[in-house]
Amino acid sequence: MRELEIPKHVAVIMDGNGRWAVRCGLERTAGHKAGEKVLMKWVRAGVHLGISEMSFYTFSTENWTRSPSEVRFLMNISKQIMRARAPEFLELGVRVKWVGRKTRLWKSVLSELEKIQNLTKNCTKMTVNFCINYGGRAEILDAVTKLVEDARAGRFSGSKVTQKQFEKCMYSSSMRPVDLLIRTSGEQRISNFLLWQIAYAEMIFLDDAWPDTDEQTLQRCVNDYNLRTRRFGAM
């Protein structure tokens, strides 16, 4: 029997929090609260399975168009997660990293992200990337802008940019390519998430809303991943 292969990097689009809450007769914010608890279940499951890296789409560059009250709630809950869950991340041996744009991001949120990054920087069990104020197109554009600035400043020379040089200019130059992308709530689209990193990712789209998933959901996704043959463009 084929040995279970664990994807090194799992990226997750946690979709359906608000719709789940409305369906349950609750305020949309209740869905985000429920979703935070599920996120920690997936982190613990990821450590248990031996996944090296997980990325969670927490707040996109497009989410600023939501109602001001929901944006405030999402910013505040992001701060609360970093502050309240820091000891648990440390105990699990999880290194936390922030991936995204500084522009428009609340200074108080950025402060908490910097604190937890520093606190967990020596953890080696797994890396968790919180993609907050993140957009795949924005990341690529910002990387190109940095390359141009480096060239003008004399820090980069040459007529041809290599993939390695380009990746060094991205938000997280140490991020692995995504092996498995999972999206919940029945939508089958990428929504501008890690466009560069998912070039050869296997994709799984679940009908369950994010708050309805758990550790077993991640296990089933890994099992599904193992039924696929990854060719990376080869025959």
Side-chain angles (χ1 to χ4, degrees), residues 14-60:
M14 306 175 289
D15 195 22
N17 289 334
R19 294 190 295 278
W20 174 88
V22 171
R23 192 170 66 244
C24 295
L26 304 169
E27 295 290 330
R28 284 179 59 87
T29 53
H32 298 304
K33 289 179 181 177
E36 184 267 338
K37 294 176 183 177
V38 172
L39 184 149
M40 292 308 301
K41 289 181 180 179
W42 278 57
V43 169
R44 288 190 289 269
V47 172
H48 176 74
L49 286 168
I51 296 170
S52 299
E53 187 168 13
M54 296 186 78
S55 295
F56 294 95
Y57 208 3
T58 311
F59 188 92
S60 77

Side-chain angles (χ1 to χ4, degrees), residues 130-141:
F130 282 108
C131 300
I132 302 176
N133 196 25
Y134 175 86
R137 287 178 174 176
E139 180 176 31
I140 291 169
L141 285 171

Side-chain angles (χ1 to χ4, degrees), residues 149-166:
E149 290 173 351
D150 286 349
R152 285 175 175 170
R155 294 187 293 268
F156 166 75
S157 61
S159 58
K160 186 177 180 181
V161 178
T162 66
Q163 181 173 320
K164 188 174 182 181
Q165 287 170 326
F166 183 80

Side-chain angles (χ1 to χ4, degrees), residues 25-185:
L26 304 169
E27 295 290 330
R28 284 179 59 87
T29 53
H32 298 304
K33 289 179 181 177
E36 184 267 338
K37 294 176 183 177
V38 172
L39 184 149
M40 292 308 301
K41 289 181 180 179
W42 278 57
V43 169
R44 288 190 289 269
V47 172
H48 176 74
L49 286 168
I51 296 170
S52 299
E53 187 168 13
M54 296 186 78
S55 295
F56 294 95
Y57 208 3
T58 311
F59 188 92
S60 77
T61 48
E62 289 74 32
N63 286 158
W64 294 107
T65 61
R66 295 188 178 186
S67 69
S69 60
E70 187 169 1
V71 169
R72 280 196 301 273
F73 180 85
L74 290 169
M75 287 292 105
N76 282 321
I77 198 172
S78 295
K79 287 192 295 183
Q80 292 165 15
I81 290 170
M82 299 308 137
R83 192 181 301 133
R85 296 292 187 176
E88 189 169 357
F89 283 120
L90 199 58
E91 185 179 349
L92 288 168
V94 171
R95 182 182 183 185
V96 175
K97 297 181 73 176
W98 164 61
V99 179
R101 261 183 175 173
K102 283 188 177 181
T103 309
R104 296 188 73 179
L105 188 61
W106 287 15
K107 289 182 180 179
S108 56
V109 175
L110 189 57
S111 175
E112 290 299 331
L113 287 167
E114 288 172 347
K115 286 177 186 176
I116 196 168
Q117 283 187 132
N118 186 59
L119 180 69
T120 62
K121 64 183 179 182
N122 295 320
C123 294
T124 57
K125 281 274 188 178
M126 184 171 75
T127 297
V128 167
N129 302 306
F130 282 108
C131 300
I132 302 176
N133 196 25
Y134 175 86
R137 287 178 174 176
E139 180 176 31
I140 291 169
L141 285 171
D142 288 350
V144 171
T145 300
K146 188 176 188 309
L147 275 172
V148 171
E149 290 173 351
D150 286 349
R152 285 175 175 170
R155 294 187 293 268
F156 166 75
S157 61
S159 58
K160 186 177 180 181
V161 178
T162 66
Q163 181 173 320
K164 188 174 182 181
Q165 287 170 326
F166 183 80
E167 288 173 345
K168 281 183 178 180
C169 293
M170 301 188 84
Y171 295 151
S172 179
S173 59
S174 63
M175 184 184 284
R176 297 173 175 83
V178 174
D179 297 304
L180 174 61
L181 172 72
I182 303 168
R183 180 173 187 150
T184 59
S185 200

